[in-house]
Amino acid sequence: MWQHKGALLLPVFLLVCFGAAGQVAKTPFSAFGIGEYYGNGLAHNQGMGGVGISNPQSYYGNNLNPALLVYNKVTTFSAGILGERKTLRDSSRSERNVSGNLNYLVLTMPVKYSKWVPTRWSTSLGLQPYSEINYRFSYTQAIINSPNTASVEEVGSGGINQAFWANGMSLTPDVSVGVRAAYLFSAMTTETSTELDGSAQSVTYTPTVYQRVNVSDFNLTLGLSFHRDSVGRKNLRVNAGFVYDFGGDIKSTYYQRLERVVQGQTVDSIVVVSQEPGSIRLPSTLGGGISVSNFRNSVTIGLDLMYQDYKNFVGFRGDTPATQNAWRFALGAEYTPDPTSLSTYLKRITYRTGVSLNEYPYLINGAPVRDFGINFGFSLPVNRGFSSLDFAAKVGQRGSIGKNRIEESYFKLYFGMTFNDQW
């Protein structure tokens, strides 16, 4: 069956990979560093609060820990989209915006089977957004040695995408290792426009500074997984997993152009800096997780912790804006009443829930910014139960008016399609 499906699927997969781009809703929190991180979790992970570093999945792509790829028994193609609504508030105003975008494309294939483990070697390739920048600031600035003021508008856009290749291999029946190589690419842009307030000129020129940083380099992640069956009770499985993202310097180039704009149209421009080489130092990330499930995997409870060494982040111009390191905590669970039920479809649906808490590496109003979210999700089995439609939702709040003078409430909706079959 897959000889025909694969021939059609692979060209479509590669075509979409080269044409895909994401765009999140506007948020001032994306102005920091390289923007807002997406994370590697798929729709089924998001239903559990983003948990997935330790818990193996046989019929879903394991995208959080490459060592878990060995549990994929069949070829799996996953595609997902993300829709979100964000409401930003301060003490006197509020702003709401809505957006949606492609979230991931992942193809996972078992390469070599073994008699004593599910798979000896599995591989995965895909495309995901890595980070996103989307903000707009408007403010008034005093002019030095002048009683006049100027209105300034700063707009940030773009971000970083990643195309990756991951491999997982079993060392023993209980231990597996993995490696994930991601090619980071794309551009981050900033446009800053300044307009003199109260000008009596008949034609108003708006000077604009356009800046762009292009990124093109590789990033490496290592994974480790351990599981032990028949712990305490014969039907219990205990899993542990670890991932380490090396971060490090990624090659970048800087471009700057000055423009004069009249009524939204550029009348002239001059290139100030053209393709200046440099680098951005990304922080390393250490993650660990532990989960417990019954032998049939109809019930799983998992806990993930992530720590990001953001004090080592260095921007293209040598800026080090982080004041502290970042961390993330997530707790989630999933339950399938009866995965093999032939009489009741509702018993074959997988139900998920979870919570997460993040602390970001910067301060606003002298206080750390935290993000708390509650997640729900479910998977609808299709194609005799081997494939699924995956749904997840997250409701949360980032920042606090009382502590940070600004807060963002959001609702995110994830939709994924998972196709499984023998290749």
Side-chain angles (χ1 to χ4, degrees):
M1 183 183 298
W2 262 102
Q3 284 80 1
H4 304 289
K5 289 184 179 179
L8 294 174
L9 178 60
L10 190 57
V12 174
F13 173 76
L14 295 175
L15 178 64
V16 176
C17 279
F18 285 107
Q23 186 64 46
V24 297
K26 286 185 174 65
T27 171
F29 297 102
S30 68
F32 177 85
I34 61 170
E36 186 173 9
Y37 281 87
Y38 268 80
N40 296 324
L42 307 186
H44 67 280
N45 299 117
Q46 299 298 342
M48 297 178 65
V51 170
I53 295 177
S54 66
N55 41 305
Q57 299 279 358
S58 298
Y59 297 105
Y60 299 97
N62 291 293
N63 208 40
L64 288 171
N65 186 347
L68 293 175
L69 289 171
V70 297
Y71 292 93
N72 285 93
K73 302 176 182 179
V74 296
T75 298
T76 299
F77 174 72
S78 301
I81 57 176
L82 165 65
E84 57 184 343
R85 183 188 67 187
K86 293 182 177 180
T87 302
L88 190 68
R89 301 183 182 89
D90 60 16
S91 58
S92 59
R93 297 169 298 173
S94 67
E95 176 184 313
R96 176 178 295 178
N97 52 84
V98 180
S99 72
N101 58 270
L102 175 71
N103 198 22
Y104 57 85
L105 293 169
V106 183
L107 179 65
T108 303
M109 299 168 287
V111 178
K112 185 176 181 181
Y113 293 94
S114 175
K115 295 180 180 179
W116 43 272
V117 290
T119 310
R120 182 68 175 178
W121 171 25
S122 284
T123 190
S124 176
L125 60 97
L127 176 74
Q128 278 186 294
Y130 184 81
S131 70
E132 192 73 31
I133 297 175
N134 189 8
Y135 66 89
R136 182 187 298 268
F137 296 144
S138 298
Y139 54 92
T140 301
Q141 190 171 44
I143 301 176
I144 300 176
N145 298 325
S146 172
N148 297 325
T149 59
S151 295
V152 181
E153 183 177 73
E154 183 178 337
V155 179
S157 61
I160 300 177
N161 294 319
Q162 59 173 328
F164 63 86
W165 181 33
N167 289 272
M169 181 172 292
S170 298
L171 300 181
T172 73
D174 297 330
V175 179
S176 62
V177 296
V179 60
R180 187 177 194 266
Y183 176 66
L184 306 181
F185 64 98
S186 204
M188 300 168 285
T189 65
T190 304
E191 294 184 66
T192 305
S193 302
T194 306
E195 186 173 325
L196 185 65
D197 294 331
S199 174
Q201 297 177 350
S202 57
V203 179
T204 302
Y205 291 91
T206 304
T208 300
V209 180
Y210 174 87
Q211 303 176 85
R212 183 180 69 237
V213 176
N214 288 81
V215 171
S216 178
D217 210 339
F218 289 91
N219 186 42
L220 192 67
T221 302
L222 299 181
L224 174 67
S225 172
F226 169 82
H227 82 269
R228 177 60 58 87
D229 291 336
S230 303
V231 177
R233 297 169 56 189
K234 292 184 178 180
N235 64 341
L236 278 185
R237 166 178 285 180
V238 175
N239 312 286
F242 302 91
V243 291
Y244 182 73
D245 187 320
F246 285 87
D249 295 340
I250 57 174
K251 296 178 183 178
S252 309
T253 58
Y254 178 74
Y255 173 88
Q256 185 185 84
R257 182 176 70 241
L258 299 182
E259 303 174 344
R260 285 201 304 169
V261 179
V262 177
Q263 296 180 347
Q265 299 295 322
T266 301
V267 295
D268 58 34
S269 64
I270 180 172
V271 176
V272 180
V273 180
S274 177
Q275 306 304 319
E276 176 187 343
S279 65
I280 297 174
R281 180 173 298 171
L282 297 182
S284 59
T285 303
L286 176 64
I290 186 170
S291 59
V292 179
S293 60
N294 62 359
F295 193 71
R296 296 175 62 195
N297 289 327
S298 59
V299 179
T300 300
I301 300 174
L303 170 69
D304 282 3
L305 295 172
M306 299 285 289
Y307 177 81
Q308 216 170 17
D309 186 18
Y310 229 110
K311 286 187 177 180
N312 285 326
F313 173 84
V314 180
F316 186 88
R317 289 300 182 186
D319 53 302
T320 55
T323 56
Q324 60 184 23
N325 292 320
W327 54 265
R328 182 177 188 274
F329 161 88
L331 175 67
E334 67 176 9
Y335 171 60
T336 310
D338 186 356
T340 61
S341 175
L342 299 177
S343 59
T344 306
Y345 180 78
L346 293 178
K347 290 183 178 181
R348 290 187 283 125
I349 296 176
T350 300
Y351 305 90
R352 303 183 178 95
T353 188
V355 295
S356 62
L357 178 64
N358 297 32
E359 184 166 284
Y360 293 94
Y362 48 83
L363 305 179
I364 295 181
N365 193 35
V369 178
R370 291 189 174 181
D371 183 332
F372 177 74
I374 301 175
N375 299 57
F376 304 93
F378 58 92
S379 288
L380 302 177
V382 296
N383 188 24
R384 302 182 306 278
F386 292 106
S387 301
S388 63
L389 300 178
D390 310 308
F391 300 86
K394 181 178 182 180
V395 180
Q397 178 179 302
R398 176 162 45 179
S400 167
I401 292 178
K403 294 181 178 180
N404 309 117
R405 296 184 181 177
I406 186 173
E407 72 178 29
E408 179 183 85
S409 58
Y410 58 85
F411 174 75
K412 297 184 179 183
L413 185 63
Y414 301 86
F415 171 67
M417 297 175 290
T418 303
F419 303 98
N420 294 296
D421 212 328
Q422 296 290 339
W423 192 293

